[in-house]
Amino acid sequence: MSYRKMQYWVIPPEADAEFVAHREDVLETYSKPYDCDVPVLCMDEQLVQLIKDTKVPIAATKEHPRRVDYEYQYERPGVANVFMFTEPLSRCREVMIREKKTKVDWTITMANLIAAKSSWYETISTHTIGAFYEVFEPERARSLVRRIEFHYTPKHGCWLNITENALSSMTRQCVARRRIGNLTMLESETHASVCDVNETQRAVHWQMKIDDAWMKPTSVYPKIKL
């Protein structure tokens, strides 16, 4: 039996006006100059499998590296969710850890972020403002959504969310191939990673413009019939 090689890819729909509209809205938002009073905020989320050692590893010393039992004995105590927020032009990233990945968890993390700052935000997201009204009383919900201008990434267009790249990078460098057994450790490690990146890396330079979008891929643009 032979197997063909297969590559997973985010394939956009063909001739989809909604896809085009949301994509150009996001691209136009990215092209704006930085405004500290109304920054652009991108957010993404990812589930992480918690893995706990059943035998306590031997800590590293000057003479030898950290030692883990060779039988790879471990437990899976559950999962956690990483919410990441990125301001592309200000070189600022933040992470918040929750036990679950629900609209309620997203809404609470957004409310906490807004409460910690005085800015108004242009937000790149897949969630809707209705989630605030499911979690908070109408007065509180309205006070929060008034400080956010939403811009939605299109379906099959998650690559337009800058935070997806930042979250993928942090996962590879900080979480993947490691045993993190509880939320406290996950929070500590991800916060340390984000702080290091904020101090050492540049802001995001997004190069794709609306004119570029007209050229690639052209198949998503509906044919205009006069």
Side-chain angles (χ1 to χ4, degrees), residues 106-120:
W106 171 79
T107 304
I108 292 174
T109 58
M110 283 291 295
N112 291 339
L113 185 69
I114 293 171
K117 298 183 179 181
S118 59
S119 302
W120 293 56

Side-chain angles (χ1 to χ4, degrees), residues 128-143:
T128 64
I129 62 176
F132 287 90
Y133 288 86
E134 294 182 24
V135 177
F136 302 109
E137 293 295 325
E139 294 80 6
R140 171 64 170 157
R142 188 60 191 162
S143 68

Side-chain angles (χ1 to χ4, degrees), residues 93-201:
R93 300 163 181 81
E94 295 189 41
V95 291
M96 297 184 185
I97 308 299
R98 301 283 296 182
E99 292 185 5
K100 298 179 181 180
K101 180 182 178 180
T102 67
K103 286 193 297 183
V104 172
D105 292 281
W106 171 79
T107 304
I108 292 174
T109 58
M110 283 291 295
N112 291 339
L113 185 69
I114 293 171
K117 298 183 179 181
S118 59
S119 302
W120 293 56
Y121 293 98
E122 291 194 71
T123 303
I124 309 298
S125 177
T126 58
H127 293 276
T128 64
I129 62 176
F132 287 90
Y133 288 86
E134 294 182 24
V135 177
F136 302 109
E137 293 295 325
E139 294 80 6
R140 171 64 170 157
R142 188 60 191 162
S143 68
L144 291 169
V145 299
R146 286 183 66 251
R147 294 177 59 186
I148 309 171
E149 180 181 320
F150 282 88
H151 301 270
Y152 301 105
T153 56
K155 293 181 179 179
H156 303 286
C158 58
W159 54 271
L160 285 163
N161 191 337
I162 289 175
T163 299
E164 182 174 274
N165 297 324
L167 183 56
S168 175
S169 177
M170 187 196 71
T171 299
R172 294 195 306 271
Q173 298 176 16
C174 175
V175 179
R177 298 181 297 279
R178 295 186 60 198
R179 296 184 183 182
I180 299 177
N182 56 68
L183 269 66
T184 301
M185 183 178 179
L186 179 62
E187 186 172 34
S188 175
E189 294 296 311
T190 54
H191 274 278
S193 174
V194 165
C195 288
D196 178 68
V197 171
N198 287 345
E199 292 178 358
T200 59
Q201 294 192 12

Side-chain angles (χ1 to χ4, degrees), residues 19-54:
F19 182 94
V20 170
H22 286 295
R23 182 175 71 173
E24 294 202 351
D25 179 52
V26 171
L27 293 177
E28 185 176 48
T29 303
Y30 286 159
S31 68
K32 295 179 180 180
Y34 179 67
D35 184 348
C36 61
D37 294 323
V38 189
V40 172
L41 179 72
C42 304
M43 67 80 52
D44 200 6
E45 55 200 340
Q46 177 177 302
L47 283 174
V48 173
Q49 174 67 61
L50 300 177
I51 299 178
K52 180 180 179 181
D53 285 301
T54 55

